[in-house]
């Protein structure tokens, strides 16, 4: 799996609720660890994929945290540290409903070039992961959209639009859609994109949004629906439900990343999209039972949950 997104550092604060403007709240706990795209890469690596990080990383304490986390999971780097700046960081607020809110900065991960991406040299069977965050950073957007058309046809491109999809330039989104094969998204992001592509849409439920988005994009759509699992829709086709095992959610931060990482790992292993989505849904359910963003299970843990030896 070739990850073209952004690896950052997360400062995770656990709060009863996100304060209103001008308010104040005390955190009941905090963590300082690698996050962002790291969570997707960790999930893919733990599920058995060889993972390559094509993005930027900086020189400084935040860059050190990211590199240590990636090295611990045997994730390969294709570019040296940027000597001019550090890696960026994100403040993640996790409330008592297990929902999360982010405030982020930008560092070396927001200054990727097409030359850096070309160093990955993808070949048939490799899976390319792209993030909607790359469309927000000017340099990353230009690099990704220049490089993606050169990716061999035998390399599936999986796109996770991220919460910022509503802010991304629509022409850039359409260019990304042109080379994407799978669009994996949560409910909110799916509806935001659908309404941008088809402003007159009145669909709101996931069972309606998933096939509508598949038709609007011409892509296979994986819609993550929280405790209900995931929906898999193809253009003009039926919607397949992939239920999640029933669990007690402690922290949803990183659940979508765990899902996307395992999905990419299974596709890179040559599995079909349906079994990949079912496995990813189980992995995400395990992830929400653990505090912290980098909570993706190992392959053996997912196998056990699926009843495999």
């Amino acid at each position: 799996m070739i990850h073209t997104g952004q690896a950052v550092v997360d400062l995770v604060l656990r709060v009863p609720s996100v304060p209103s403007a001008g308010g104040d709240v005390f955190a009941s706990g905090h963590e300082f660890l690698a996050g962002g795209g790291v969570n997707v890469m960790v999930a893919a690596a733990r599920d058995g994929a060889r993972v390559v990080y094509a993005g930027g990383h900086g020189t400084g304490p935040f860059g050190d945290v990211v590199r240590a986390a990636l090295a611990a999971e045997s994730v390969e780097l294709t570019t040296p540290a940027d000597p001019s700046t550090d890696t960026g960081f994100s403040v993640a607020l996790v409330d008592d409903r297990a929902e999360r809110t982010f405030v982020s900065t930008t560092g070396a991960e927001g200054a990727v070039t097409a030359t850096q991406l070309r160093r990955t040299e993808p070949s048939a069977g490799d899976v390319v992961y792209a993030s909607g965050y790359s469309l927000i950073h000017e340099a990353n957007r230009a690099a990704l959209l220049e490089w993606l058309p050169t990716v061999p046809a035998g390399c599936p491109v999986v796109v996770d639009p991220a919460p910022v999809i509503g802010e991304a330039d629509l022409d850039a989104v359409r260019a990304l859609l042109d080379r994407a094969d799978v669009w994996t998204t949560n409910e909110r992001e799916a509806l935001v994109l659908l309404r941008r592509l088809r402003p007159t849409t009145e669909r709101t439920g996931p069972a309606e949004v998933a096939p509508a988005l598949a038709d609007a994009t011409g892509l296979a759509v994986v819609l993550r629906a929280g405790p209900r699992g995931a929906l898999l829709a193809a253009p003009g086709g039926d919607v397949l439900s992939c239920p999640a095992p029933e669990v007690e959610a402690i922290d949803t931060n990183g659940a979508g990343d765990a899902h996307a990482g395992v999905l990419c790992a299974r596709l890179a292993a040559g599995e079909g999209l349906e079994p990949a989505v079912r496995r990813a849904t189980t992995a995400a359910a395990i992830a929400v039972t653990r505090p912290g963003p980098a909570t993706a299970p190992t392959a053996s843990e997912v196998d056990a949950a699926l009843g495999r030896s």
Side-chain angles (χ1 to χ4, degrees), residues 108-132:
E109 75 288 346
V112 174
T113 67
T115 298
Q116 288 175 264
L117 297 178
R118 283 193 288 269
R119 290 175 185 155
T120 61
E121 299 181 343
S123 58
D126 293 342
V127 173
V128 173
Y129 172 92
S131 167

Side-chain angles (χ1 to χ4, degrees), residues 156-254:
V157 176
V158 177
V159 179
D160 190 328
V164 295
I165 192 61
E167 305 163 32
D169 176 77
L170 191 54
D171 287 339
V173 174
R174 293 187 188 280
L176 187 56
L177 288 167
D178 284 343
R179 181 54 189 89
D181 295 286
V182 179
W183 197 269
T184 179
T185 177
N186 65 25
E187 290 184 65
R188 175 193 169 276
E189 295 157 4
L191 186 56
V192 167
L193 179 58
L194 180 59
R195 285 176 172 167
R196 295 194 72 188
L197 296 174
R198 293 183 174 175
T200 59
T201 186
E202 296 181 356
R203 297 174 175 84
T204 57
E208 294 180 309
V209 171
L213 186 58
D215 288 340
T217 60
L219 303 176
V221 169
V222 178
L223 193 153
R224 305 186 299 268
R228 289 164 291 175
L231 300 176
L232 174 58
D238 295 332
V239 179
L240 177 67
S241 177
C242 301
E246 187 174 341
V247 297
E248 181 179 354
I250 294 176
D251 186 352
T252 62
N253 189 14

